[in-house]
Short mmCIF file of all heavy atoms in Angstrom, two decimals:
data_model
loop_
_atom_site.label_atom_id
_atom_site.label_comp_id
_atom_site.label_asym_id
_atom_site.label_seq_id
_atom_site.Cartn_x
_atom_site.Cartn_y
_atom_site.Cartn_z
N LYS W 551 -22.14 -17.58 -5.25
CA LYS W 551 -22.41 -18.32 -6.47
C LYS W 551 -23.70 -17.83 -7.15
O LYS W 551 -24.61 -17.34 -6.46
CB LYS W 551 -22.50 -19.82 -6.18
CG LYS W 551 -21.18 -20.43 -5.75
CD LYS W 551 -21.31 -21.93 -5.51
CE LYS W 551 -19.97 -22.55 -5.14
NZ LYS W 551 -20.07 -24.01 -4.88
N ILE W 552 -23.76 -17.97 -8.47
CA ILE W 552 -24.90 -17.52 -9.25
C ILE W 552 -25.73 -18.73 -9.69
O ILE W 552 -25.19 -19.70 -10.25
CB ILE W 552 -24.43 -16.74 -10.49
CG1 ILE W 552 -23.63 -15.49 -10.08
CG2 ILE W 552 -25.61 -16.35 -11.36
CD1 ILE W 552 -24.44 -14.46 -9.33
N LEU W 553 -27.04 -18.68 -9.46
CA LEU W 553 -27.93 -19.75 -9.90
C LEU W 553 -28.39 -19.52 -11.33
O LEU W 553 -28.29 -20.39 -12.19
CB LEU W 553 -29.14 -19.85 -8.97
CG LEU W 553 -30.15 -20.96 -9.28
CD1 LEU W 553 -29.48 -22.33 -9.14
CD2 LEU W 553 -31.36 -20.87 -8.35
N ASN W 554 -28.90 -18.33 -11.61
CA ASN W 554 -29.34 -17.96 -12.95
C ASN W 554 -29.42 -16.45 -13.05
O ASN W 554 -28.91 -15.75 -12.17
CB ASN W 554 -30.70 -18.61 -13.29
CG ASN W 554 -31.76 -18.34 -12.23
OD1 ASN W 554 -31.91 -17.20 -11.77
ND2 ASN W 554 -32.47 -19.38 -11.81
N ASP W 555 -30.06 -15.95 -14.09
CA ASP W 555 -30.14 -14.50 -14.30
C ASP W 555 -30.83 -13.77 -13.15
O ASP W 555 -30.61 -12.57 -12.95
CB ASP W 555 -30.89 -14.18 -15.60
CG ASP W 555 -30.03 -14.42 -16.82
OD1 ASP W 555 -28.80 -14.63 -16.65
OD2 ASP W 555 -30.57 -14.41 -17.94
N ASP W 556 -31.67 -14.48 -12.41
CA ASP W 556 -32.52 -13.82 -11.43
C ASP W 556 -32.24 -14.18 -9.98
O ASP W 556 -32.84 -13.62 -9.09
CB ASP W 556 -33.98 -14.19 -11.72
CG ASP W 556 -34.41 -13.78 -13.13
OD1 ASP W 556 -34.42 -12.57 -13.38
OD2 ASP W 556 -34.69 -14.65 -13.95
N ALA W 557 -31.33 -15.14 -9.74
CA ALA W 557 -31.19 -15.62 -8.36
C ALA W 557 -29.73 -15.99 -8.05
O ALA W 557 -29.00 -16.49 -8.92
CB ALA W 557 -32.07 -16.82 -8.12
N LEU W 558 -29.37 -15.79 -6.78
CA LEU W 558 -28.09 -16.25 -6.27
C LEU W 558 -28.23 -17.69 -5.79
O LEU W 558 -29.30 -18.11 -5.35
CB LEU W 558 -27.64 -15.36 -5.11
CG LEU W 558 -27.38 -13.89 -5.42
CD1 LEU W 558 -27.13 -13.11 -4.15
CD2 LEU W 558 -26.19 -13.75 -6.38
N ALA W 559 -27.16 -18.45 -5.84
CA ALA W 559 -27.15 -19.82 -5.32
C ALA W 559 -26.55 -19.83 -3.92
O ALA W 559 -25.95 -18.84 -3.47
CB ALA W 559 -26.34 -20.73 -6.24
N ASP W 560 -26.70 -20.93 -3.22
CA ASP W 560 -26.08 -21.08 -1.91
C ASP W 560 -24.57 -21.26 -2.07
O ASP W 560 -24.10 -21.87 -3.02
CB ASP W 560 -26.66 -22.29 -1.17
CG ASP W 560 -28.13 -22.12 -0.82
OD1 ASP W 560 -28.55 -20.97 -0.64
OD2 ASP W 560 -28.84 -23.14 -0.73
N GLY W 561 -23.83 -20.76 -1.09
CA GLY W 561 -22.39 -20.99 -1.08
C GLY W 561 -21.59 -19.96 -1.86
O GLY W 561 -22.14 -19.05 -2.50
N TYR W 562 -20.27 -20.14 -1.79
CA TYR W 562 -19.34 -19.18 -2.39
C TYR W 562 -18.27 -19.92 -3.18
O TYR W 562 -17.86 -21.03 -2.83
CB TYR W 562 -18.64 -18.35 -1.30
CG TYR W 562 -19.57 -17.44 -0.54
CD1 TYR W 562 -20.31 -17.91 0.53
CD2 TYR W 562 -19.71 -16.10 -0.90
CE1 TYR W 562 -21.15 -17.07 1.25
CE2 TYR W 562 -20.56 -15.26 -0.20
CZ TYR W 562 -21.28 -15.75 0.86
OH TYR W 562 -22.13 -14.92 1.55
N SER W 563 -17.81 -19.31 -4.25
CA SER W 563 -16.59 -19.77 -4.91
C SER W 563 -15.42 -19.04 -4.23
O SER W 563 -15.59 -17.95 -3.68
CB SER W 563 -16.63 -19.47 -6.40
OG SER W 563 -16.75 -18.07 -6.64
N PHE W 564 -14.21 -19.64 -4.29
CA PHE W 564 -13.09 -19.08 -3.56
C PHE W 564 -11.82 -19.17 -4.37
O PHE W 564 -11.56 -20.17 -5.04
CB PHE W 564 -12.89 -19.81 -2.23
CG PHE W 564 -11.63 -19.38 -1.50
CD1 PHE W 564 -11.61 -18.22 -0.77
CD2 PHE W 564 -10.47 -20.14 -1.61
CE1 PHE W 564 -10.45 -17.80 -0.13
CE2 PHE W 564 -9.31 -19.74 -0.96
CZ PHE W 564 -9.29 -18.57 -0.21
N ASN W 565 -11.01 -18.11 -4.30
CA ASN W 565 -9.64 -18.17 -4.81
C ASN W 565 -8.81 -17.07 -4.16
O ASN W 565 -9.34 -16.13 -3.56
CB ASN W 565 -9.59 -18.04 -6.32
CG ASN W 565 -9.93 -16.65 -6.84
OD1 ASN W 565 -11.10 -16.34 -7.03
ND2 ASN W 565 -8.93 -15.83 -7.06
N PHE W 566 -7.50 -17.24 -4.25
CA PHE W 566 -6.56 -16.19 -3.81
C PHE W 566 -6.25 -15.29 -5.00
O PHE W 566 -6.25 -15.72 -6.16
CB PHE W 566 -5.27 -16.82 -3.29
CG PHE W 566 -5.42 -17.64 -2.04
CD1 PHE W 566 -5.52 -19.02 -2.12
CD2 PHE W 566 -5.44 -17.03 -0.79
CE1 PHE W 566 -5.64 -19.78 -0.99
CE2 PHE W 566 -5.56 -17.78 0.36
CZ PHE W 566 -5.66 -19.17 0.26
N LYS W 567 -5.93 -14.04 -4.67
CA LYS W 567 -5.41 -13.13 -5.70
C LYS W 567 -4.20 -12.41 -5.11
O LYS W 567 -4.24 -11.89 -4.00
CB LYS W 567 -6.45 -12.11 -6.13
CG LYS W 567 -5.90 -11.12 -7.18
CD LYS W 567 -6.86 -9.98 -7.45
CE LYS W 567 -7.96 -10.41 -8.40
NZ LYS W 567 -8.77 -9.24 -8.86
N LEU W 568 -3.11 -12.38 -5.88
CA LEU W 568 -1.90 -11.66 -5.50
C LEU W 568 -1.75 -10.47 -6.43
O LEU W 568 -1.82 -10.61 -7.65
CB LEU W 568 -0.67 -12.57 -5.61
CG LEU W 568 0.66 -11.96 -5.15
CD1 LEU W 568 0.63 -11.63 -3.67
CD2 LEU W 568 1.82 -12.92 -5.48
N ARG W 569 -1.54 -9.27 -5.83
CA ARG W 569 -1.44 -8.04 -6.59
C ARG W 569 -0.11 -7.35 -6.31
O ARG W 569 0.30 -7.22 -5.14
CB ARG W 569 -2.60 -7.09 -6.25
CG ARG W 569 -3.94 -7.69 -6.50
CD ARG W 569 -5.08 -6.91 -5.86
NE ARG W 569 -5.17 -5.52 -6.30
CZ ARG W 569 -6.24 -4.75 -6.08
NH1 ARG W 569 -7.29 -5.22 -5.43
NH2 ARG W 569 -6.26 -3.50 -6.50
N TYR W 570 0.55 -6.88 -7.36
CA TYR W 570 1.76 -6.04 -7.21
C TYR W 570 1.49 -4.71 -7.88
O TYR W 570 1.11 -4.65 -9.05
CB TYR W 570 2.99 -6.70 -7.83
CG TYR W 570 4.16 -5.73 -7.90
CD1 TYR W 570 4.82 -5.34 -6.74
CD2 TYR W 570 4.59 -5.21 -9.12
CE1 TYR W 570 5.88 -4.45 -6.79
CE2 TYR W 570 5.64 -4.33 -9.18
CZ TYR W 570 6.29 -3.94 -8.02
OH TYR W 570 7.32 -3.04 -8.07
N ASN W 571 1.69 -3.63 -7.13
CA ASN W 571 1.38 -2.28 -7.61
C ASN W 571 2.63 -1.41 -7.56
O ASN W 571 3.32 -1.36 -6.54
CB ASN W 571 0.28 -1.66 -6.74
CG ASN W 571 -0.17 -0.31 -7.25
OD1 ASN W 571 -0.37 -0.14 -8.45
ND2 ASN W 571 -0.33 0.64 -6.36
N LEU W 572 2.93 -0.74 -8.68
CA LEU W 572 4.06 0.20 -8.76
C LEU W 572 3.52 1.56 -9.18
O LEU W 572 2.86 1.68 -10.21
CB LEU W 572 5.08 -0.31 -9.79
CG LEU W 572 6.22 0.64 -10.15
CD1 LEU W 572 7.10 0.89 -8.92
CD2 LEU W 572 7.06 0.09 -11.30
N TRP W 573 3.82 2.57 -8.38
CA TRP W 573 3.35 3.94 -8.59
C TRP W 573 4.55 4.87 -8.58
O TRP W 573 5.38 4.81 -7.67
CB TRP W 573 2.36 4.29 -7.48
CG TRP W 573 1.77 5.67 -7.49
CD1 TRP W 573 0.61 6.07 -8.08
CD2 TRP W 573 2.29 6.82 -6.83
NE1 TRP W 573 0.38 7.41 -7.83
CE2 TRP W 573 1.42 7.89 -7.07
CE3 TRP W 573 3.42 7.05 -6.05
CZ2 TRP W 573 1.62 9.17 -6.55
CZ3 TRP W 573 3.65 8.32 -5.54
CH2 TRP W 573 2.76 9.37 -5.81
N TYR W 574 4.66 5.72 -9.61
CA TYR W 574 5.85 6.57 -9.76
C TYR W 574 5.41 8.00 -10.08
O TYR W 574 4.57 8.22 -10.96
CB TYR W 574 6.74 6.02 -10.87
CG TYR W 574 8.09 6.69 -10.95
CD1 TYR W 574 9.03 6.50 -9.95
CD2 TYR W 574 8.43 7.48 -12.04
CE1 TYR W 574 10.28 7.12 -10.02
CE2 TYR W 574 9.67 8.08 -12.13
CZ TYR W 574 10.60 7.89 -11.11
OH TYR W 574 11.83 8.50 -11.19
N GLU W 575 6.01 8.97 -9.39
CA GLU W 575 5.61 10.37 -9.51
C GLU W 575 6.80 11.26 -9.83
O GLU W 575 7.84 11.17 -9.17
CB GLU W 575 4.96 10.84 -8.19
CG GLU W 575 4.66 12.32 -8.15
CD GLU W 575 4.07 12.77 -6.82
OE1 GLU W 575 4.04 11.94 -5.88
OE2 GLU W 575 3.66 13.94 -6.70
N VAL W 576 6.61 12.13 -10.83
CA VAL W 576 7.63 13.11 -11.21
C VAL W 576 7.00 14.50 -11.14
O VAL W 576 6.10 14.81 -11.94
CB VAL W 576 8.18 12.85 -12.62
CG1 VAL W 576 9.24 13.88 -12.97
CG2 VAL W 576 8.75 11.44 -12.72
N PRO W 577 7.44 15.36 -10.23
CA PRO W 577 6.88 16.73 -10.15
C PRO W 577 7.16 17.52 -11.43
O PRO W 577 8.23 17.39 -12.03
CB PRO W 577 7.60 17.34 -8.94
CG PRO W 577 8.10 16.18 -8.16
CD PRO W 577 8.41 15.10 -9.16
N LEU W 578 6.19 18.33 -11.82
CA LEU W 578 6.35 19.18 -12.99
C LEU W 578 6.72 20.60 -12.62
O LEU W 578 6.94 21.44 -13.50
CB LEU W 578 5.06 19.18 -13.82
CG LEU W 578 4.62 17.81 -14.36
CD1 LEU W 578 3.31 17.94 -15.12
CD2 LEU W 578 5.70 17.21 -15.25
N SER W 579 6.81 20.87 -11.34
CA SER W 579 7.16 22.20 -10.86
C SER W 579 8.53 22.17 -10.19
O SER W 579 8.89 21.18 -9.54
CB SER W 579 6.11 22.69 -9.83
OG SER W 579 6.57 23.86 -9.17
N LYS W 580 9.31 23.23 -10.35
CA LYS W 580 10.62 23.31 -9.70
C LYS W 580 10.49 23.36 -8.18
O LYS W 580 11.44 23.07 -7.46
CB LYS W 580 11.36 24.55 -10.20
CG LYS W 580 11.74 24.48 -11.68
CD LYS W 580 12.53 25.71 -12.11
CE LYS W 580 12.94 25.62 -13.57
NZ LYS W 580 13.69 26.83 -14.00
N LYS W 581 9.31 23.74 -7.69
CA LYS W 581 9.09 23.81 -6.24
C LYS W 581 8.89 22.43 -5.63
O LYS W 581 8.89 22.31 -4.40
CB LYS W 581 7.88 24.68 -5.94
CG LYS W 581 8.05 26.14 -6.36
CD LYS W 581 6.80 26.95 -6.02
CE LYS W 581 6.98 28.41 -6.42
NZ LYS W 581 5.76 29.22 -6.09
N GLY W 582 8.71 21.41 -6.48
CA GLY W 582 8.49 20.08 -5.97
C GLY W 582 7.04 19.79 -5.67
O GLY W 582 6.14 20.37 -6.29
N ILE W 583 6.80 18.91 -4.71
CA ILE W 583 5.44 18.47 -4.39
C ILE W 583 4.91 19.37 -3.27
O ILE W 583 5.06 19.10 -2.09
CB ILE W 583 5.44 16.99 -3.97
CG1 ILE W 583 6.03 16.12 -5.10
CG2 ILE W 583 4.02 16.52 -3.67
CD1 ILE W 583 6.28 14.69 -4.72
N VAL W 584 4.28 20.46 -3.68
CA VAL W 584 3.72 21.46 -2.77
C VAL W 584 2.29 21.76 -3.19
O VAL W 584 1.90 21.47 -4.33
CB VAL W 584 4.55 22.76 -2.77
CG1 VAL W 584 5.98 22.49 -2.27
CG2 VAL W 584 4.59 23.37 -4.17
N PRO W 585 1.44 22.29 -2.28
CA PRO W 585 0.07 22.61 -2.65
C PRO W 585 -0.02 23.47 -3.91
O PRO W 585 0.70 24.46 -4.05
CB PRO W 585 -0.46 23.35 -1.42
CG PRO W 585 0.32 22.76 -0.28
CD PRO W 585 1.69 22.52 -0.84
N GLY W 586 -0.86 23.06 -4.84
CA GLY W 586 -1.05 23.76 -6.09
C GLY W 586 -0.19 23.25 -7.22
O GLY W 586 -0.40 23.62 -8.39
N ALA W 587 0.78 22.38 -6.94
CA ALA W 587 1.70 21.89 -7.96
C ALA W 587 1.14 20.64 -8.65
O ALA W 587 0.38 19.88 -8.07
CB ALA W 587 3.05 21.57 -7.34
N LEU W 588 1.60 20.44 -9.89
CA LEU W 588 1.22 19.27 -10.67
C LEU W 588 2.40 18.29 -10.75
O LEU W 588 3.56 18.70 -10.77
CB LEU W 588 0.81 19.67 -12.08
CG LEU W 588 -0.57 20.30 -12.28
CD1 LEU W 588 -0.70 20.79 -13.73
CD2 LEU W 588 -1.68 19.30 -11.97
N SER W 589 2.06 17.01 -10.83
CA SER W 589 3.06 15.96 -11.04
C SER W 589 2.54 15.02 -12.14
O SER W 589 1.34 14.91 -12.36
CB SER W 589 3.29 15.14 -9.76
OG SER W 589 3.79 15.93 -8.73
N PHE W 590 3.49 14.36 -12.81
CA PHE W 590 3.15 13.33 -13.78
C PHE W 590 3.19 11.98 -13.06
O PHE W 590 4.14 11.69 -12.31
CB PHE W 590 4.13 13.34 -14.95
CG PHE W 590 3.92 12.23 -15.93
CD1 PHE W 590 2.77 12.20 -16.71
CD2 PHE W 590 4.85 11.20 -16.06
CE1 PHE W 590 2.56 11.17 -17.63
CE2 PHE W 590 4.65 10.17 -16.97
CZ PHE W 590 3.49 10.16 -17.76
N ILE W 591 2.17 11.14 -13.30
CA ILE W 591 2.05 9.86 -12.61
C ILE W 591 2.06 8.71 -13.61
O ILE W 591 1.38 8.74 -14.62
CB ILE W 591 0.73 9.81 -11.80
CG1 ILE W 591 0.70 10.90 -10.75
CG2 ILE W 591 0.54 8.43 -11.15
CD1 ILE W 591 1.71 10.76 -9.66
N LEU W 592 2.86 7.68 -13.29
CA LEU W 592 2.79 6.39 -13.95
C LEU W 592 2.44 5.34 -12.91
O LEU W 592 3.00 5.34 -11.82
CB LEU W 592 4.12 6.02 -14.62
CG LEU W 592 4.47 6.62 -15.97
CD1 LEU W 592 5.86 6.19 -16.39
CD2 LEU W 592 3.45 6.26 -17.03
N ASN W 593 1.51 4.46 -13.24
CA ASN W 593 1.05 3.46 -12.28
C ASN W 593 0.73 2.17 -13.04
O ASN W 593 0.03 2.19 -14.03
CB ASN W 593 -0.18 3.99 -11.56
CG ASN W 593 -0.72 3.07 -10.49
OD1 ASN W 593 -1.87 3.20 -10.10
ND2 ASN W 593 0.07 2.15 -9.98
N ASP W 594 1.29 1.06 -12.57
CA ASP W 594 0.95 -0.23 -13.17
C ASP W 594 0.72 -1.25 -12.06
O ASP W 594 1.48 -1.28 -11.08
CB ASP W 594 2.06 -0.72 -14.11
CG ASP W 594 1.56 -1.80 -15.04
OD1 ASP W 594 0.89 -1.46 -16.03
OD2 ASP W 594 1.80 -2.99 -14.76
N GLU W 595 -0.32 -2.07 -12.22
CA GLU W 595 -0.66 -3.08 -11.21
C GLU W 595 -1.00 -4.39 -11.90
O GLU W 595 -1.86 -4.43 -12.79
CB GLU W 595 -1.83 -2.61 -10.35
CG GLU W 595 -2.14 -3.56 -9.21
CD GLU W 595 -3.25 -3.05 -8.30
OE1 GLU W 595 -3.94 -2.09 -8.69
OE2 GLU W 595 -3.43 -3.63 -7.22
N VAL W 596 -0.34 -5.47 -11.48
CA VAL W 596 -0.54 -6.80 -12.05
C VAL W 596 -1.27 -7.66 -11.01
O VAL W 596 -0.91 -7.67 -9.84
CB VAL W 596 0.80 -7.46 -12.41
CG1 VAL W 596 0.56 -8.85 -13.00
CG2 VAL W 596 1.57 -6.60 -13.40
N HIS W 597 -2.31 -8.41 -11.47
CA HIS W 597 -3.10 -9.29 -10.62
C HIS W 597 -2.91 -10.74 -11.09
O HIS W 597 -3.03 -11.02 -12.28
CB HIS W 597 -4.58 -8.96 -10.71
CG HIS W 597 -4.95 -7.60 -10.22
ND1 HIS W 597 -6.15 -7.33 -9.64
CD2 HIS W 597 -4.26 -6.42 -10.23
CE1 HIS W 597 -6.22 -6.04 -9.30
NE2 HIS W 597 -5.06 -5.48 -9.67
#
């Protein structure tokens, strides 16, 4: 907890957070996912 601009207060505030993350990869090389290759990435995460 925050007391003011210069000091912390005693105790803590508390809450839960639920996160869902989706990550998707498309290789840009015909060789696929190999060292030196590039892929396009889309990623979205909701909290």
Side-chain angles (χ1 to χ4, degrees):
K551 293 182 178 179
I552 299 295
L553 182 62
N554 53 46
D555 284 349
D556 301 295
L558 298 172
D560 294 332
Y562 294 84
S563 60
F564 173 80
N565 71 274
F566 294 98
K567 178 189 281 190
L568 183 64
R569 301 166 59 166
Y570 170 70
N571 185 44
L572 172 64
W573 178 92
Y574 190 68
E575 173 182 7
V576 180
L578 299 178
S579 169
K580 293 182 179 179
K581 296 181 179 180
I583 303 170
V584 297
L588 284 173
S589 298
F590 175 68
I591 299 294
L592 280 177
N593 182 199
D594 197 79
E595 185 177 13
V596 180
H597 297 212

